[in-house]
Amino acid sequence: MTAPVFVTDPGALDALAPGDTFALEGPEGRHAVSVRRLRAGEEVVLTDGAGTAADGTVAAVSGKDRMDVTVAAVRSEPAPRPRITVVQALPKGDRGELAVETMTETGVDAIVPWAASRCVTQWKGERGLKSLGKWRATAREAGKQSRRTRFPEVAGQASTREVAELLAGAAFAGVLHESGEVPLATAQLPVDGDLVLVVGPEGGVSPEELRAFEEAGAVPYKLGPTVLRTSTAGTAAAAVLLARTGRWS
């Protein structure tokens, strides 16, 4: 079993060196002490979620929310290349969190919520901010669960125009669509740069949206012979890209 991961504040690990002791407190310390019930001698990993991590051993626990960790090594994980971004149309209900959770566990680097014209769900006002917060919290928790030290970025909600701009600047731009003649599994992929893939809503990408994306340089691709829900298509497509680019080698 690999060591559990706990998140620190940004920059908190930067000055650490082997032999130092780090005090993990607050919600993460409470989770370690009161929920996970870790004890002295157990191995843990601390991370800022941005690629810096400290491997260590629990030195002591105190109260309900403090864990002292003796640092064994501090490491910096470079950003993986090529970078994979999934533009995810807003699904119904809690399927958005499911999509974020599984894409994070798979290894996606960035997730962009997209307000497609055929989305049943709409993020507006306070509800939109709350939903975005849920997506970001899900990415954080899934990053910990999957033992990542670099968590995916979850951007703010994007319009179709903003998605087109993102696709125009990508080294590889694709849209999962039934009109695609080329399987994603055989697409020509760059060895570096940004790979951006669009996943439409349950009702599909509209002709107008598809045209805008194609004008931005995106190509429609098919994933396979079966029809996947929008909440699972991004994860399946990301797995194809991760395997084909060698990031899963």
Side-chain angles (χ1 to χ4, degrees):
M1 186 70 176
T2 55
V5 173
F6 297 95
V7 184
T8 66
D9 293 332
L13 306 177
D14 293 349
L16 288 182
D20 289 347
T21 298
F22 182 88
L24 184 71
E25 300 178 289
E28 288 292 278
R30 186 175 302 108
H31 183 72
V33 175
S34 299
V35 179
R36 294 296 300 264
R37 297 186 179 278
L38 297 180
R39 295 295 179 260
E42 296 190 71
E43 294 182 351
V44 296
V45 175
L46 307 175
T47 183
D48 60 1
T52 299
D55 301 307
T57 303
V58 178
V61 296
S62 56
K64 295 182 179 180
D65 62 357
R66 177 177 173 122
M67 178 175 71
D68 292 328
V69 178
T70 301
V71 175
V74 180
R75 50 193 167 90
S76 180
E77 177 186 305
R81 307 298 298 175
R83 174 182 167 89
I84 298 175
T85 297
V86 175
V87 176
Q88 174 67 59
L90 305 179
K92 295 180 292 184
D94 60 359
R95 290 188 176 276
E97 288 98 283
L98 172 64
V100 171
E101 179 180 56
T102 55
M103 285 192 288
T104 298
E105 292 171 355
T106 304
V108 166
D109 303 299
I111 300 168
V112 180
W114 170 39
S117 63
R118 293 178 177 174
C119 285
V120 174
T121 297
Q122 296 293 325
W123 285 3
K124 295 181 179 179
E126 201 65 34
R127 177 184 177 184
L129 293 176
K130 184 178 179 180
S131 296
L132 178 59
K134 286 183 178 180
W135 280 35
R136 287 174 171 166
T138 298
R140 172 189 168 104
E141 293 306 309
K144 290 167 54 180
Q145 188 277 330
S146 55
R147 309 300 195 259
R148 290 181 63 165
T149 60
R150 186 179 291 276
F151 302 162
E153 301 172 19
V154 179
Q157 180 179 215
S159 65
T160 296
R161 178 184 58 80
E162 290 169 328
V163 172
E165 292 173 354
L166 181 64
L167 292 167
F172 171 86
V175 183
L176 295 183
H177 198 268
E178 61 270 16
S179 68
E181 297 181 358
V182 178
L184 184 63
T186 62
Q188 294 294 318
L189 300 177
V191 297
D192 199 6
D194 293 332
L195 280 57
V196 181
L197 193 64
V198 177
V199 178
E202 300 290 0
V205 178
S206 72
E208 296 77 17
E209 291 164 339
L210 184 60
R211 183 163 53 251
F213 295 159
E214 289 181 322
E215 289 174 354
V219 174
Y221 291 101
K222 59 183 179 181
L223 192 54
T226 59
V227 177
L228 301 181
R229 283 186 176 272
T230 183
S231 54
T232 54
T235 299
V240 172
L241 297 179
L242 287 160
R244 294 200 57 231
T245 56
R247 284 184 50 180
W248 271 6
S249 62

